[in-house]
Amino acid sequence: MFQVNENYLKLPGSYLFSTIAKKVAAFTEANPEKKVIRLGIGDVTQPLAPVILEALHKAVDEMGKTETFRGYAPDLGYDFLRNAIVKNDYEERGCDIAADEIFVSDGAKSDSGNIQELFSADAKIAVCDPVYPVYVDSNVMAGRTGVYSEDTQTWSNVIYMPCTMENGFVPEFPKEAPQLIYLCLPNNPTGTTVTKAQLQEWVDYANRVGAVIIYDAAYEAYISEENVAHSVYECKGAKTCAIEIRSFSKNAGFTGVRLGFTVVPKELKCGDVSLNAMWARRHGTKFNGAPYIVQRAGEAVYSEAGKAQLKEQVAYYMKNAKAIKDGLKNAGYTVFGGVNAPYIWMKTPDQMTSWQFFDYLLENANVVGTPGSGFGPSGEGYFRLTAFGSYENTLAALERIQKL
């Protein structure tokens, strides 16, 4: 009889957003006359920018001609995209990143889940709490997290760094030194971030204890404050301790197109072993490259027209974020985020649990959000709303919530 990977059986319930989808589907089926407004999952709603569509159409036409047809993409990505990333995301911010340190993929979620394969099975991970569930779940699947406690909703081999209202949702250095530190900044779900000086302290800490920072910068395009770093490599010493994961989903609307990249500096080593070489080997073995037409669309993101058009889209979503934050505050709710990220993090009212508030909001306002407890135990008592809806739906949802 064949055996299964029993680590999968340790996962409690289904993936957070799958659970939400099932609940919403059941409510919609039972109440077909009610219009549900979804401010839960972090999926964009604005169409692709014109310059990106133009690049896609041109690339599709190329695929229809023998002389311009492309087959398998290079494992690590086409040079035209990697060079554009180097110039715009790193050189212009004073970061010394080379094209052969960039690995193009089909999205940040894939890379977030796969990057743990580079590390030993007994590597101790540290995560912010609350945090994007993929970090912990992918390590559970790898057998790295120990035993799950239903009472505390924690794993025995995971170091949790609580991010609460009391500490401004900024993690503190753990008492026990980890081997891997997951940082998502600006943060999903809290919408908060740290200053460049605070991030430098994390880089110094990681170098001091011999840890690797897995730095998820999926929301960097939404940063509006001057003292917040857009890349971990803006910090001195980051190339010897940090891997950065980036996405085209939130800044360019590629959630349905799929494109991202991960930066693994050549200076990042375990003794004489290069993590850059390891990730290149893994990439070459398990991935056949992002599609040519999608990489051409990614290149268009960095054109002058692309930058201007996407700046407008980011501003659109942040207008939603401001409307949600201001509207909830005026209604008496305690809210955070919405400045450097398209997420609003709010305290649930009347001592409701986060899932109780989810049900209450769905049933009484027909609005969908995300329960904070789904992001970790410190998320209990909080609730996330996304600014990725349309402006009209955002205002309509606010009006419904304010009437509760």
Side-chain angles (χ1 to χ4, degrees), residues 15 108-109 111-113 115-116 125-128 130-141 144-145 158 180-189 214-219 245 375:
Y15 183 56
K109 183 176 184 178
D111 287 352
S112 295
I115 198 69
Q116 51 78 28
I125 72 167
V127 296
C128 296
V131 79
Y132 184 44
V134 169
Y135 309 149
V136 173
D137 287 359
S138 57
N139 279 282
V140 174
M141 294 171 179
R144 194 175 285 120
T145 55
V158 174
L180 300 178
I181 304 168
Y182 286 84
L183 294 179
C184 176
L185 297 167
N187 184 261
N188 175 17
I214 309 298
Y215 191 81
D216 187 343
Y219 299 95
I245 298 173
F375 297 99

Side-chain angles (χ1 to χ4, degrees), residues 69-89:
F69 173 79
R70 307 285 184 119
Y72 289 124
D75 291 341
L76 311 185
Y78 283 102
D79 286 343
F80 61 77
L81 177 57
R82 296 165 86 194
N83 290 332
I85 290 168
V86 166
K87 180 179 184 299
N88 292 276
D89 286 331

